[in-house]
Amino acid sequence: MSVRNEQAHEARAADDAAPRFSAEELVQTASDVLHRLGAPRQTADVVAASLVLSNLVGHDSHGIVRLIQYSELVKGGQVRPDGQPTVVSARGAVATVDGGWGFGQPAAQLATQLATESASAHGISAVSISSCNHIGRLGEYVATIAEAGQMGMAFCNSGPIVAPFGGAGRVMGTNPFAWSAPLRDDFVALDFATSKVAEGKIKIAVAEGRTLPPGLIVDSVGRPSVDPADLYGGGALLAFGEHKGSGMSMLIELTAALVSGMGSSCDPEYQGGNGTLIMALDIAAFVDMERYYEQAATFCTEAKRIGGGPEHLDILLPGELEARTLEARRAGGVVVAANIRRQITVLADEFGLDLGRFALR
Amino acid sequence: MSVRNEQAHEARAADDAAPRFSAEELVQTASDVLHRLGAPRQTADVVAASLVLSNLVGHDSHGIVRLIQYSELVKGGQVRPDGQPTVVSARGAVATVDGGWGFGQPAAQLATQLATESASAHGISAVSISSCNHIGRLGEYVATIAEAGQMGMAFCNSGPIVAPFGGAGRVMGTNPFAWSAPLRDDFVALDFATSKVAEGKIKIAVAEGRTLPPGLIVDSVGRPSVDPADLYGGGALLAFGEHKGSGMSMLIELTAALVSGMGSSCDPEYQGGNGTLIMALDIAAFVDMERYYEQAATFCTEAKRIGGGPEHLDILLPGELEARTLEARRAGGVVVAANIRRQITVLADEFGLDLGRFALR
């Protein structure tokens, strides 16, 4: 499924007649829930703002729906809501951050800040993050790096669900890869799972009784399958881009997962979580920034002009769809699917927390 | 086409009854040709060894067949055979190498050495390469970094031939991406074009009058095509992995191409050549190397065991096929396709150079 279809699908899923919430309302709602889960208010605000930013840019799968997962992680002891990230070591152009098994977003934001500062000093930098569960949406962090005028790259592993190319069993996580570059008053930011699709898409197909397009999963003996139930009968997701994407996912295990010390997804000692590496590169250490910005603008203009061909097809740069969605949702508000509002309301009810007009029973 | 099929195809193309050449014979042959083209003997030896290594690992497309292209580049003035790479600047963890518009391999080897040394000192490093034409096979350089116990990453742009996702015109090059990680006595190395296939495959299909599998090219107005002639009628190659691979290719333009100062492929001022970035990361700056090597070995073992599933499918790690081919060809020699031997013989004849048993008229 193309990223456009994916987002169109998410947009269709929301009822046009449903109430729309402002970013501020959603951040307040999410922060209140996280605070009741045990997060200090400052942490709750940071995590809430990060989740709502995902809603705003159109990636609802990484938005406030995650409150439900996070409450389970807190209840199960995998996330300590008051855990705070710390810098364990910093040497030369690299540093290591320990997430304290708290929420991943504050750890990733700390690592991103360190990476940007260190790249300014050394030309390039890398910061690893260990001991944290869901790191959030990597696209946010590489965008922050690009907004600082640097090139950003980030990747992490996650629970095993993807088969290696030509294989059958679950070896790698959906292992996202993100990469950004600054423009003069904007940026380009790529952020994708190295699996062909997210597991959530297969779950929805099961729920809706639909078959899958070919190429998304294999069954338990490695045969291509279009039956989503096969994923839950010992099957696995496929990597994007055949052997190329599968290889990238393996390298993410060998670098982000091992350099962070979290262990690879298929290691019997893997305890879950996202072993993460965030890198920043200071373009100004290589070339004049004015020249860079000019050449970057030329690339963006020519990619659209030449790439559009004689039919003037609409060429999107990485992150452009997200930027358009951000503008639209900042202006018009965010629709939250009824089933998500219901689940968050149930969660809030546990704490006797009144969610006001967000509540849906 | 999978990497396995691709290599099987290359292997089939060689006649089993054809003579086999040792690596030493091929290096001598290639070095003699390059020397007659004007390269100092030391440069000729370096470039020849690099080309023949590509033959040895099974990537004949990057092997001594390139002598023909290189002689054209020298004759056309795009490559100065006596051009030498120089370090233009080195600051903190980054450096810039100018290839002097000589052969790309010496420039890339210099950059690789600088990257490894700088990563040892700073934890991570990046070196850009400008002013050089064909940089050679990126897999060689990231393998060198992995052999030094570090993680390597390299990418570069090239002449425009790939359409952006959803588009029609030629905006990006085939922009290869390479990534490696060390094992205790070995390494894992990924190296792929971000186009779905190399242009050479389309050229062969035209010559053989075959149609293409779907998903490789679009015609001049962006329609999917299986007619290889459409590529040469204003069409374009497609990126691998749909919008994800297309986005990677764009980021390669915005980083490697612009950070090296070479300009993006679709820039009217682009003068050809490979704008390259080579990065090295010193794993020991993050974690204990013994622990890393243990966890890396566990990943490789488990990826094969779990990934193989109940049918024990043969799971290949990135670079494993190349390592197997290297062993086989070091032992049994290399077959060079007759048409390539003929073309190189014509080239040698221009200089009155006797290629001995390699010659074919």
Side-chain angles (χ1 to χ4, degrees):
Chain A
M1 199 186 282
S2 79
V3 69
R4 293 183 214 191
N5 291 342
E6 219 165 303
Q7 295 214 345
H9 182 79
E10 287 189 3
R12 272 200 310 277
D15 184 352
D16 280 347
R20 288 169 182 273
F21 299 96
S22 71
E24 293 67 28
E25 281 178 289
L26 292 180
V27 170
Q28 189 62 55
T29 298
S31 178
D32 286 350
V33 170
L34 290 160
H35 188 44
R36 295 298 180 102
L37 279 170
R41 180 56 78 173
Q42 199 190 347
T43 302
D45 283 346
V46 165
V47 177
S50 179
L51 294 179
V52 173
L53 180 57
S54 290
N55 288 113
L56 289 171
V57 299
H59 291 292
D60 293 325
S61 59
H62 281 62
I64 65 165
V65 64
R66 295 281 176 170
L67 291 174
I68 301 153
Q69 174 197 7
Y70 289 0
S71 83
E72 285 162 12
L73 290 171
V74 169
K75 288 170 188 169
Q78 293 105 305
V79 167
R80 296 178 200 152
D82 60 347
Q84 296 297 323
T86 51
V87 182
V88 177
S89 73
R91 185 210 115 186
V94 306
T96 61
V97 165
D98 184 304
W101 288 107
F103 289 106
Q105 288 86 349
Q109 290 185 5
L110 173 60
T112 300
Q113 189 194 331
L114 285 172
T116 304
E117 288 168 4
S118 184
S120 293
H122 303 283
I124 186 171
S125 69
V127 181
S128 72
I129 309 172
S130 66
S131 307
C132 84
N133 214 294
H134 190 246
I135 199 83
R137 188 176 53 90
L138 292 182
E140 175 185 338
Y141 314 124
V142 297
T144 300
I145 294 169
E147 284 173 331
Q150 298 177 347
M151 183 200 107
M153 196 183 269
F155 35 88
C156 70
N157 76 329
S158 54
I161 190 160
V162 174
F165 181 69
R170 299 177 173 199
V171 168
M172 295 93 76
T174 54
N175 297 5
F177 184 89
W179 193 355
S180 68
L183 304 177
R184 199 184 297 270
D185 299 306
D186 199 355
F187 58 83
V188 167
L190 188 67
D191 178 15
F192 58 78
T194 52
S195 55
K196 181 90 182 211
V197 292
E199 188 238 332
K201 310 274 180 201
I202 316 296
K203 199 172 272 173
I204 290 168
V206 170
E208 296 181 354
R210 284 188 291 107
T211 58
L212 301 169
L216 306 192
I217 65 167
V218 286
D219 69 12
S220 61
V221 294
R223 287 177 304 214
S225 169
V226 295
D227 179 359
D230 279 337
L231 179 64
Y232 304 99
L237 294 177
L238 284 167
F240 91 106
E242 297 171 292
H243 61 286
K244 299 179 182 184
S246 174
M248 281 185 69
S249 185
M250 286 186 173
L251 262 301
I252 290 173
E253 295 289 344
L254 284 166
T255 52
L258 300 200
V259 163
S260 68
M262 295 281 274
S264 61
S265 304
C266 62
D267 191 323
E269 293 177 12
Y270 172 69
Q271 298 185 334
N274 298 140
T276 307
L277 199 62
I278 295 182
M279 301 195 286
L281 182 134
D282 186 20
I283 296 163
F286 293 86
V287 288
D288 174 71
M289 280 309 283
E290 283 308 305
R291 173 92 174 124
Y292 169 83
Y293 282 131
E294 273 169 33
Q295 289 192 322
T298 298
F299 174 76
C300 295
T301 306
E302 294 294 308
K304 285 176 177 286
R305 188 184 65 83
I306 299 171
E311 312 267 303
H312 305 294
L313 302 165
D314 185 24
I315 303 304
L316 290 175
L317 299 168
E320 194 172 352
L321 190 60
E322 286 78 0
R324 289 184 193 175
T325 309
L326 178 66
E327 197 180 353
R329 291 191 175 183
R330 272 208 197 287
V334 176
V335 174
V336 180
N339 67 330
I340 294 169
R341 284 174 59 202
R342 271 195 207 96
Q343 290 180 74
I344 294 173
T345 304
V346 168
L347 182 57
D349 285 348
E350 288 178 27
F351 310 121
L353 176 65
D354 179 7
L355 295 183
R357 77 177 193 105
F358 185 89
L360 191 66
R361 287 183 182 81
Chain B
M1 200 186 284
S2 80
V3 70
R4 293 184 214 193
N5 291 343
E6 222 165 301
Q7 294 214 343
H9 181 79
E10 288 189 3
R12 270 199 311 277
D15 183 354
D16 280 346
R20 287 168 182 274
F21 300 95
S22 71
E24 293 68 28
E25 282 178 289
L26 292 181
V27 171
Q28 189 62 55
T29 298
S31 178
D32 286 349
V33 171
L34 289 160
H35 188 44
R36 295 297 180 104
L37 279 171
R41 181 56 80 173
Q42 200 189 346
T43 302
D45 284 347
V46 164
V47 177
S50 178
L51 294 179
V52 173
L53 180 58
S54 289
N55 288 113
L56 289 171
V57 300
H59 291 292
D60 293 325
S61 59
H62 280 63
I64 64 165
V65 65
R66 295 282 175 169
L67 290 175
I68 302 152
Q69 175 197 7
Y70 290 1
S71 84
E72 286 162 11
L73 290 171
V74 168
K75 288 171 189 169
Q78 293 105 308
V79 167
R80 296 178 199 153
D82 59 347
Q84 296 297 323
T86 51
V87 181
V88 177
S89 72
R91 185 207 116 185
V94 306
T96 61
V97 165
D98 182 304
W101 289 107
F103 289 106
Q105 288 86 351
Q109 290 184 7
L110 173 60
T112 300
Q113 189 194 330
L114 284 174
T116 305
E117 288 168 5
S118 183
S120 294
H122 302 284
I124 186 169
S125 70
V127 182
S128 70
I129 309 171
S130 66
S131 306
C132 83
N133 214 292
H134 191 244
I135 198 82
R137 188 176 53 90
L138 292 182
E140 176 185 337
Y141 315 123
V142 297
T144 300
I145 294 170
E147 284 173 331
Q150 299 177 348
M151 183 199 108
M153 196 182 269
F155 35 89
C156 68
N157 76 328
S158 53
I161 191 161
V162 174
F165 181 69
R170 299 176 172 198
V171 169
M172 298 93 76
T174 56
N175 297 5
F177 184 89
W179 193 356
S180 68
L183 305 176
R184 200 183 298 271
D185 300 306
D186 200 354
F187 58 83
V188 167
L190 188 68
D191 178 15
F192 59 77
T194 51
S195 55
K196 181 89 181 217
V197 293
E199 188 238 332
K201 310 276 180 200
I202 315 297
K203 199 171 274 174
I204 291 169
V206 170
E208 296 180 353
R210 285 189 290 107
T211 58
L212 300 170
L216 306 191
I217 65 167
V218 286
D219 69 11
S220 62
V221 293
R223 287 177 304 212
S225 169
V226 295
D227 178 359
D230 279 338
L231 179 64
Y232 304 100
L237 294 177
L238 283 167
F240 92 106
E242 298 170 289
H243 61 286
K244 299 179 182 184
S246 174
M248 281 184 69
S249 185
M250 286 185 173
L251 263 303
I252 290 172
E253 296 289 344
L254 284 167
T255 52
L258 299 202
V259 163
S260 69
M262 294 280 273
S264 61
S265 305
C266 63
D267 191 323
E269 293 178 12
Y270 173 68
Q271 298 186 333
N274 298 141
T276 307
L277 199 63
I278 295 183
M279 300 194 288
L281 182 133
D282 186 20
I283 296 164
F286 294 86
V287 289
D288 175 71
M289 280 309 283
E290 284 307 305
R291 174 91 173 125
Y292 169 83
Y293 281 132
E294 275 169 30
Q295 289 192 321
T298 299
F299 174 76
C300 295
T301 307
E302 294 293 310
K304 285 174 176 289
R305 189 183 66 82
I306 299 171
E311 312 266 306
H312 306 294
L313 302 165
D314 185 25
I315 303 304
L316 291 176
L317 299 169
E320 194 172 353
L321 190 61
E322 285 79 0
R324 289 184 194 176
T325 309
L326 179 66
E327 197 179 355
R329 293 192 175 183
R330 270 207 198 287
V334 176
V335 173
V336 180
N339 67 330
I340 295 169
R341 285 173 59 203
R342 269 194 209 98
Q343 290 181 75
I344 294 173
T345 304
V346 168
L347 183 57
D349 285 348
E350 289 178 25
F351 311 120
L353 175 65
D354 179 7
L355 295 182
R357 76 177 195 105
F358 184 90
L360 191 66
R361 286 182 182 84

